[in-house]
């Protein structure tokens, strides 16, 4: 019987500076090599360890025995007449979609954070497929760095497949890499994270990160919201809004409430009144979809 000695190598892409420092330390390499690796991974977009030429040949061989960069290209994409593209990616535990949306001088990328979703919103196709798996920070960032429009991007929104607050550790790690000087050095004001209001993870996000927040509202009447968004029963929108009122929204950080109009479900004068009552006095934006 044939046996394989092939060992699955761990991926470097998607690791933070502190995680790379641990790898460097274990390999017995000089500490400064971790920042050199960050430079190759996140600034020079190296696709292999062999490209990291300011690391010694011995260091590259040592790292290559256990690790690989781990970026992958999209499997497929479709493009609409307005230039919007939908990309399909294979990840370790399934498939995810990423949408590139050009709009004048703005170019937004809508990224996924899970394969499927646990939240079960009735109007969402991802919710109907159920939850399959969380994805890694590397798989999140790969959606951004591997597309040909990467250099054109002005904004990133976590509004693709999945609930970001249900995979918060990996989402925060991806944002750390996007916004750190040793990473992509983006301003957090170029990033928006959307949630149905999962608590206390949303509070942790607000305390640890300066990216914008978007709340999927879709109905401000609790008894009705629970029929289209089962999460309302566990995390009532009124409680979520009361928590958000404790934060300062007077600066550059934006709070947005997403509201998808559904004919005959959430589009009456009653619903307008409920929104104004719920959000009265809050400094926020309402995005009507």
């Amino acid at each position: 019987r044939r046996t394989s000695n092939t060992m699955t190598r761990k991926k470097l892409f998607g690791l933070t500076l502190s995680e790379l420092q641990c790898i460097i330390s274990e390999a017995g390499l000089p500490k400064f090599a971790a920042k050199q690796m960050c430079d190759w991974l996140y600034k020079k977009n190296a696709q292999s360890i062999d490209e990291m030429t300011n690391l010694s040949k011995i260091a590259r061989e040592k790292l290559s025995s256990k690790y690989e960069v781990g970026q992958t290209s999209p499997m497929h994409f479709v493009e609409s007449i307005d230039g919007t593209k939908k990309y399909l990616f294979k990840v370790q535990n399934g498939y995810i979609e990423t949408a590139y949306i050009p709009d004048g001088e703005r170019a937004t990328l809508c990224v996924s954070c899970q394969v499927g979703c646990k939240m079960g919103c009735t109007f969402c196709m991802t919710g109907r497929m159920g939850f399959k798996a969380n994805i890694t920070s590397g798989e999140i960032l790969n959606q951004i760095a591997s597309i040909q429009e990467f250099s054109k991007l002005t904004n990133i929104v976590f509004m693709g497949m999945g609930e970001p607050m249900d995979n918060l550790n990996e989402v925060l790690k991806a944002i750390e890499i996007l916004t750190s000087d040793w990473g992509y050095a983006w301003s957090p004001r170029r990033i928006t994270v959307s949630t149905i209001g999962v608590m206390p993870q949303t509070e942790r996000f607000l305390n640890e990160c300066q990216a914008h927040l978007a709340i999927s509202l879709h109905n401000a009447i609790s008894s009705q919201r629970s029929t289209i968004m089962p999460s309302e029963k566990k995390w009532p929108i009124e409680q979520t809004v009361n928590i958000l009122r404790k934060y300062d929204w007077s600066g550059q950080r934006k709070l947005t409430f997403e509201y998808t109009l559904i004919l005959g479900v959430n589009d009456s004068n009653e619903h307008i009144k409920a929104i104004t009552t719920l959000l009265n006095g809050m400094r926020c934006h309402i995005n009507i979809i």
Side-chain angles (χ1 to χ4, degrees), residues 2-20:
R2 295 181 64 184
T3 59
S4 174
N5 293 322
T6 303
M7 182 181 69
T8 302
R9 291 182 296 172
K10 297 177 182 178
K11 300 182 189 303
L12 296 173
F13 189 74
L15 298 184
T16 63
L17 175 60
S18 60
E19 289 173 321
L20 290 171

Side-chain angles (χ1 to χ4, degrees), residues 68-124:
E68 62 181 347
V69 169
Q71 265 193 263
T72 59
S73 299
M75 296 181 63
H76 179 68
F77 74 87
V78 291
E79 184 174 3
S80 70
I81 57 173
D82 66 356
T84 298
K85 286 185 180 180
K86 184 184 288 186
Y87 286 95
L88 178 69
F89 288 92
K90 174 75 172 72
V91 293
Q92 184 174 0
N93 294 300
Y95 299 88
I96 55 173
E97 290 183 342
T98 307
Y100 168 73
I101 309 165
D103 182 17
E105 295 182 355
R106 290 172 63 89
T108 300
L109 193 70
C110 181
V111 300
S112 296
C113 60
Q114 292 180 316
V115 181
C117 184
K118 297 176 185 176
M119 301 304 138
C121 299
T122 60
F123 53 86
C124 175

Side-chain angles (χ1 to χ4, degrees), residues 22 29 49 54 92 105 134 149 151 175 186 190 236 245:
C22 290
L29 300 174
I49 293 173
N54 56 354
Q92 184 174 0
E105 295 182 355
N134 285 324
E149 297 87 1
S151 62
I175 294 175
W186 276 41
R190 296 171 66 182
R245 288 183 184 277

Side-chain angles (χ1 to χ4, degrees), residues 24-81:
I24 288 299
S25 177
E26 290 171 1
L29 300 174
K31 188 175 181 180
F32 62 79
K35 279 200 173 181
Q36 291 176 321
M37 289 173 69
C38 283
D39 195 52
W40 285 107
L41 290 170
Y42 306 126
K43 298 187 187 301
K44 298 178 180 176
N45 203 33
Q47 299 298 300
S48 71
I49 293 173
D50 284 339
E51 292 179 45
M52 302 179 183
T53 50
N54 56 354
L55 298 179
S56 70
K57 185 177 180 181
I58 293 175
R60 282 178 276 151
E61 288 175 350
K62 189 177 288 189
L63 289 168
S64 295
S65 67
K66 292 184 178 181
Y67 301 96
E68 62 181 347
V69 169
Q71 265 193 263
T72 59
S73 299
M75 296 181 63
H76 179 68
F77 74 87
V78 291
E79 184 174 3
S80 70
I81 57 173

